[in-house]
């Protein structure tokens, strides 16, 4: 076992539609054996003669030992690249690089953990739950989304979690409301020690804020930001940058892929995503149209 | 690596002609898990600036047909951190390193060369003249022969005589040959052709430019014909100046195309984002392609496309279809 990523030609085992998303299981032993929860894989889309050069990054829902090792990813079909992926069938080959990025940090002791998220990103929480449960931790799920079709894994959460709360804006599954209505209560009721999050960026911001108000540490995966901004997944291209302040108080632009995707929630400058904060290291000192050039 | 692929950029001998392109190989550490960096002809660093630079806000990249548009804003740690943290790591790994420099004025180029002078582990210095010149209302050095030449002269003067200085040119010039001649006159020992070409994409969902930088640099296979043209034209005018061909190299045959146009080495950029193993693969495919053509030494292939039409080259044996992999 090694913690370095590999590039491999994975074989598609199954592709299933799950609510609004697609769940794809791939035979990729070298990735499965190296994987740690929170890491992701980067898929090349479009086949051998593709004109699409950006790798699509997905968190891993679960790894299994079947067929020497499988990984399952969950994704939304939002653009031609993910559309191509959704069209793959059993026995097709997919060029995958992984596992990539920094995993969730795990508690040393068997503590209480709240795992919260929404959208296809919530899938990453299940691999984490598996590891936490095996370490004797308590796992409490809080899944949120606009409606039932955007909440991945609600039944699974009820099955594997010690508790599971579901909340949708339209009440089509679980309680009617938003994460703000439910997360503080769950944190208090369960006496959780740590909060883990994965899902849409706005949700991560809410998670961090609520955890912070209760003095709890949060670890969140900025997978969705990476999907929107990144091109390689391997830390080369420097396009998935977000502002994070360090222990020394200095804000730096860091890569969502290689410095994340799991980050301490309280370190991310959520309101400044998509900007270079004026006090960030290396921020332009004067605003000008020509500043920077294109290269 | 076989002798077939050995090459040289003037005095700089390289066991392999396949390099990483500036700004596309990270710090080297990101590629190291995938292949032995010793197999690189050379590693070209991201352009190093005088001060740390955060670069542009996201989105910095847009996917276009067979290409990428990027507007990075020259992000980097600045030369001080580069010299403390990044270069020593490359030296430790025994990676031949070409250090790319980016200045926003001639003085800044001079200062950067001065800081680099005598630092161990610098195989060559590449001057990225696709930078906005603050003294010229932000117009790129690369667009004006005199401005490009001034930047090259500043770096050449500040660099040890034994260390080659390469001018990295952008295709967005009225006549790239004029720029190349000016750079060679100013002391450039070699040329890296080409940097990205300015392009633009508009997001039809948001109805706004796709990049925060509005326009960006086009790279990847979409750029390759432009690179081939630039290398061909410049090699015709300067047959004795070594050229690193850059632009859309994703396969061994792509590399061969640039070599036939006149490049003595090639650098792989965007393809690394899609395939972290692109460099060893391109090298293997290039070796096979040379062997299939019975070209014993890479040097024999450099500029071969300039031969007159009547010349009968060694033919590829017809029953061995070549694997092609053109993104
Ligand atoms: C994300 C990105 C960053 C780049 N950074 C630099 C740089 O720092 N300095 C430079 O001279 N060229 C830079 N380039 C240009 C490349 O080195 C190369 O010239 C160009 O992309 C064409 O080659 P390619 O099609 O193989 O990518 C960059 C290109 C990209 C896509």
């Amino acid at each position: 076992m090694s913690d370095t990523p590999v590039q491999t030609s994975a074989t598609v085992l199954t592709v299933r539609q799950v609510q609004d998303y697609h769940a794809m299981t791939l035979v990729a032993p070298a990735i499965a054996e190296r994987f740690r929860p929170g890491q992701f894989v980067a898929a090349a889309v479009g086949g051998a003669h593709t004109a699409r050069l950006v790798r699509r990054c997905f968190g891993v829902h679960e790894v299994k030992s079947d067929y020497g090792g499988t990984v399952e990813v969950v994704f939304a079909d939002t653009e031609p690249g993910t559309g191509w992926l959704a069209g793959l069938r059993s026995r097709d080959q997919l060029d995958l690089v992984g596992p990539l990025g920094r995993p969730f940090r795990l508690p040393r002791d068997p503590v209480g953990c709240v795992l919260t998220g929404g959208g296809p990103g919530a899938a990453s929480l299940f691999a984490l739950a598996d590891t936490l449960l095996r370490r004797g931790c308590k796992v409490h799920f809080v899944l949120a989304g606009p409606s039932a079709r955007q909440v991945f894994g609600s039944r699974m959460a009820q099955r594997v979690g010690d508790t599971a709360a579901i909340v949708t804006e339209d009440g089509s599954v679980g309680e009617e409301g938003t994460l703000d209505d439910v997360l503080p209560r769950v944190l208090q009721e369960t006496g959780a020690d740590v909060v883990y999050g994965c899902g849409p960026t706005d949700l991560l911001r809410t998670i961090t804020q609520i955890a912070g108000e209760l003095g709890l540490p949060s670890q969140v995966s900025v997978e969705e930001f990476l999907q929107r901004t990144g091109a390689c997944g391997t830390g080369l291209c420097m396009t998935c940058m977000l502002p994070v302040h360090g222990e020394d108080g200095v804000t730096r632009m860091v890569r969502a892929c290689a410095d994340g995707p799991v980050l301490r929630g309280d370190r991310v400058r959520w309101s400044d995503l998509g900007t270079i904060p004026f006090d960030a290291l290396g921020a332009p000192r004067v605003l000008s149209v020509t500043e920077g050039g294109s290269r | 690596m076989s002798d077939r692929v050995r090459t040289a950029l003037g005095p700089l001998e390289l066991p392999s002609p396949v390099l990483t392109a500036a700004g596309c190989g990270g710090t080297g550490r990101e590629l190291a898990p995938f292949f032995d960096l010793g197999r690189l002809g050379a590693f070209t660093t991201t352009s190093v600036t005088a001060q740390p630079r955060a670069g542009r806000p996201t989105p910095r990249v847009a996917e276009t047909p067979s290409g990428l548009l990027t507007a990075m804003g020259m992000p980097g740690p600045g030369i001080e951190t580069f010299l403390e943290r990044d270069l020593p790591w490359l030296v430790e790994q025994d990676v031949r390193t070409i250090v790319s420099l980016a200045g926003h004025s001639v003085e800044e180029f001079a200062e950067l060369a001065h800081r680099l002078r005598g630092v161990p582990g610098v195989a060559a210095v590449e001057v990225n003249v696709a930078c906005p010149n603050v003294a010229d209302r932000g117009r790129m050095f690369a667009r004006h022969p005199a401005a490009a030449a001034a930047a090259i002269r500043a770096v050449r003067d500040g660099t040890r005589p034994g260390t080659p200085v390469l001018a990295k040119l952008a295709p967005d010039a009225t006549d790239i040959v004029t720029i190349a001649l000016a750079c060679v006159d100013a002391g450039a020992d070699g040329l890296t052709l080409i940097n990205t070409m300015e392009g633009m994409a508009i997001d039809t969902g948001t109805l706004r430019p796709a990049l925060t930088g509005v326009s960006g640099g086009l790279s990847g296979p979409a750029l390759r014909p432009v690179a081939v043209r630039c290398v061909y034209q410049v090699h015709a005018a300067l047959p004795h100046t070594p050229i690193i061909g850059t632009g859309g190299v994703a396969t061994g045959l792509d590399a061969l195309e640039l070599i036939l146009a006149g490049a003595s080495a090639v650098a792989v950029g965007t393809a690394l984002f899609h395939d972290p193993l692109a460099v060893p693969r391109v090298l293997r495919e290039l070796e096979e392609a040379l062997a299939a053509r019975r070209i014993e030494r890479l040097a024999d292939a450099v500029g071969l496309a300039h031969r007159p039409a009547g010349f009968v080259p060694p033919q590829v044996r017809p029953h061995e279809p070549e694997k092609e992999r053109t993104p």
Side-chain angles (χ1 to χ4, degrees), chain B residues 99-118:
Chain B
V99 178
S100 168
L101 300 179
H104 294 83
S105 64
V106 172
E107 296 71 33
E108 202 171 304
F109 273 115
E111 182 204 326
L112 288 164
H114 179 75
R115 297 284 303 270
L116 204 60
R117 190 184 176 100

Side-chain angles (χ1 to χ4, degrees), chain B residues 21-24 46-47 70 128 168 194-196 219-220 223 246-248 269-270:
Chain B
C24 299
T46 298
S47 292
T70 49
N128 178 4
K168 167 114 179 235
I194 53 178
N195 213 312
T196 57
S219 67
L223 182 69
T246 310
T270 300

Side-chain angles (χ1 to χ4, degrees), chain A residues 7 44 49-56 229 232 234 236-239 241 255 274 276 281-282 291-295, chain B residues 25-26 30 52-58 60-61 63 66 68 70-72 74 172 195-196 273-275 277 324 327:
Chain A
Q7 181 174 29
H49 299 272
T50 188
R52 298 185 185 280
L53 305 179
V54 168
R55 276 194 181 249
R56 272 55 174 183
T229 57
C232 68
T234 46
L236 293 170
C237 77
M238 312 295 284
T239 59
M241 312 302 283
R255 297 164 295 185
I276 307 289
L281 183 69
E291 179 71 29
S294 59
R295 277 90 184 166
Chain B
E30 298 81 359
R53 292 176 61 93
R56 283 193 187 281
T58 55
R60 289 179 173 185
V61 64
E63 193 179 50
S66 292
L68 294 182
T70 49
M72 307 297 293
M74 213 74 84
D172 297 308
N195 213 312
T196 57
F273 305 157
H274 189 251
D275 178 5
L277 282 161
E324 213 182 326

Side-chain angles (χ1 to χ4, degrees), chain A residues 4 18 34 66 80 100 107 111 146 155 157 161 170 172 194 213 243 261 280 289:
Chain A
T4 59
V18 186
R34 290 167 166 80
D66 314 4
L100 294 163
V111 299
R155 257 176 309 175
D170 64 0
S172 51
V194 54
E213 280 162 12
V289 210

